[in-house]
Amino acid sequence: MNDALEQPEQFWDDLLSRQPSPIKAAFASLQPSDQLAVLAHLQRMVSETGWQPEQRISARAALDVLLPKPV
């Protein structure tokens, strides 16, 4: 079992920390299928209503780290 499943609160704290190192480490702890599910969830956080502004900002920061835009 990976750390994300053993300590979900710490996983989400790291993923939504707005800091590249913890974001990358949290994401890397997941299996590829779980990574896809997390990316989809982050996309929903930034695009759907019902999320607090700070949550949306944190989700956008995570996506920017995990899916950098091509130059």
Side-chain angles (χ1 to χ4, degrees), residues 19-69:
Q19 300 297 316
S21 292
I23 292 169
K24 290 176 184 178
F27 192 72
S29 74
L30 299 173
Q31 296 296 319
S33 61
D34 294 327
Q35 289 178 344
L36 292 174
V38 165
L39 289 173
H41 182 72
L42 292 169
Q43 291 284 4
R44 286 192 302 276
M45 287 178 73
V46 299
S47 64
E48 293 179 356
T49 60
W51 297 97
Q52 295 297 314
E54 291 298 312
Q55 292 174 308
R56 295 169 75 98
I57 292 167
S58 295
R60 169 51 50 209
L63 287 170
D64 288 345
V65 168
L66 298 172
L67 302 172
K69 304 222 183 324

Side-chain angles (χ1 to χ4, degrees), residues 12-29:
W12 285 104
D13 284 349
D14 290 344
L15 194 69
L16 299 175
S17 69
R18 303 184 195 173
Q19 300 297 316
S21 292
I23 292 169
K24 290 176 184 178
F27 192 72
S29 74

